[in-house]
Amino acid sequence: MEEFLPEDEPIINARRLGEEVGAVPIGPAGGAALRFLAAMIDARTVVEVGSGCGVSGIWLLRGMRKDGVLTSVDVEHEHQRLAKQAYAEAGLGASRTRMIVGRALEVLPRLTDGAYDMVFCDAVKQEYPEYLTAALRLLRPGGVVAFDNALWHHRVADPDRRDPDTLAIREVGRMIREDERLVPLLLPVGDGLLCAVKRDD
């Protein structure tokens, strides 16, 4: 599954740099799923929380419309610098991205309500429930929210795991399953990709 769509050199290089600086990006199959979702909804405006040094952004931008813009939020300036480098290597112009350095929970409230087609989250696991709340405000009806690491290295399914990260990921899964505004799906790609479509108002 991970090798079905091989990654090209710009993504491979971004992945290597991300792993070197401790920003482990989404896996190849998860990235391909992001591209598929972005293409399926003809996404023009996407927010990602956690840049993965450009890996997830390249996948998303390749699925988005040619005039689409990715808003990338990351607390680490170095991760954003490496992401910009990756986008340039992938032939994605600077006009396709809006890079914001800062804590997601401080940045997301400044973004426009209902203005985004997709929100992808891969940052502080303990903040996942709060990212979901923000995403529901940011997404248009029919928009998609997605969370990487939804399985969290098999910890989420183990009831004995009670660490804060696992509990938060478990909680966001419960929130998505039980929210009648959402149509949920857990994809078994990589470390798990939890997705949901926001129903029409």
Side-chain angles (χ1 to χ4, degrees):
M1 183 181 289
E2 292 295 321
E3 298 174 359
F4 177 69
L5 293 172
E7 294 182 321
D8 60 7
E9 191 169 343
I11 298 182
I12 291 170
N13 289 339
R15 180 177 300 287
R16 175 179 54 80
L17 291 171
E19 291 170 351
E20 286 177 3
V21 300
V24 180
I26 192 167
L34 292 179
R35 183 179 66 170
F36 179 88
L37 291 168
M40 184 176 64
I41 62 173
D42 197 27
R44 186 177 60 83
T45 53
V46 175
V47 176
E48 69 167 3
V49 180
S51 68
C53 295
V55 172
S56 53
I58 293 173
W59 279 113
L60 285 163
L61 284 161
R62 287 177 173 173
M64 294 165 64
R65 289 168 42 165
K66 297 299 183 185
D67 62 344
V69 175
L70 173 72
T71 298
S72 179
V73 181
D74 200 309
V75 72
E76 296 290 344
H77 185 275
E78 177 66 4
H79 298 175
Q80 292 287 46
R81 186 188 69 78
L82 293 172
K84 288 180 183 178
Q85 178 180 307
Y87 301 148
E89 185 179 349
L92 300 164
S95 64
R96 299 288 312 278
T97 59
R98 178 171 63 147
M99 315 293 282
I100 304 175
V101 178
R103 288 190 64 244
L105 296 182
E106 295 173 359
V107 173
L108 295 176
R110 304 202 302 263
L111 302 182
T112 305
D113 292 9
Y116 296 90
D117 301 307
M118 186 171 176
V119 177
F120 169 61
C121 304
D122 187 12
V124 181
K125 307 311 173 193
Q126 292 178 42
E127 296 178 354
Y128 268 23
E130 292 164 286
Y131 296 163
L132 175 62
T133 300
L136 289 173
R137 179 182 60 79
L138 296 173
L139 286 171
R140 63 164 173 81
V144 171
V145 63
F147 291 85
D148 192 24
N149 304 117
L151 301 176
W152 199 227
H153 315 296
H154 308 293
R155 297 186 184 106
V156 170
D158 182 351
D160 293 330
R161 296 283 189 164
R162 307 288 298 172
D163 60 277
D165 287 346
T166 301
L167 290 175
I169 297 170
R170 206 175 276 147
E171 173 64 9
V172 82
R174 183 198 64 77
M175 291 168 67
I176 286 176
R177 280 198 315 271
E178 296 180 1
D179 195 321
E180 294 183 356
R181 295 169 295 178
L182 299 173
V183 179
L185 176 66
L186 176 57
L187 294 173
V189 295
D191 194 28
L193 189 67
L194 177 63
C195 310
V197 177
K198 181 180 177 182
R199 293 181 185 272
D200 291 344
D201 293 333

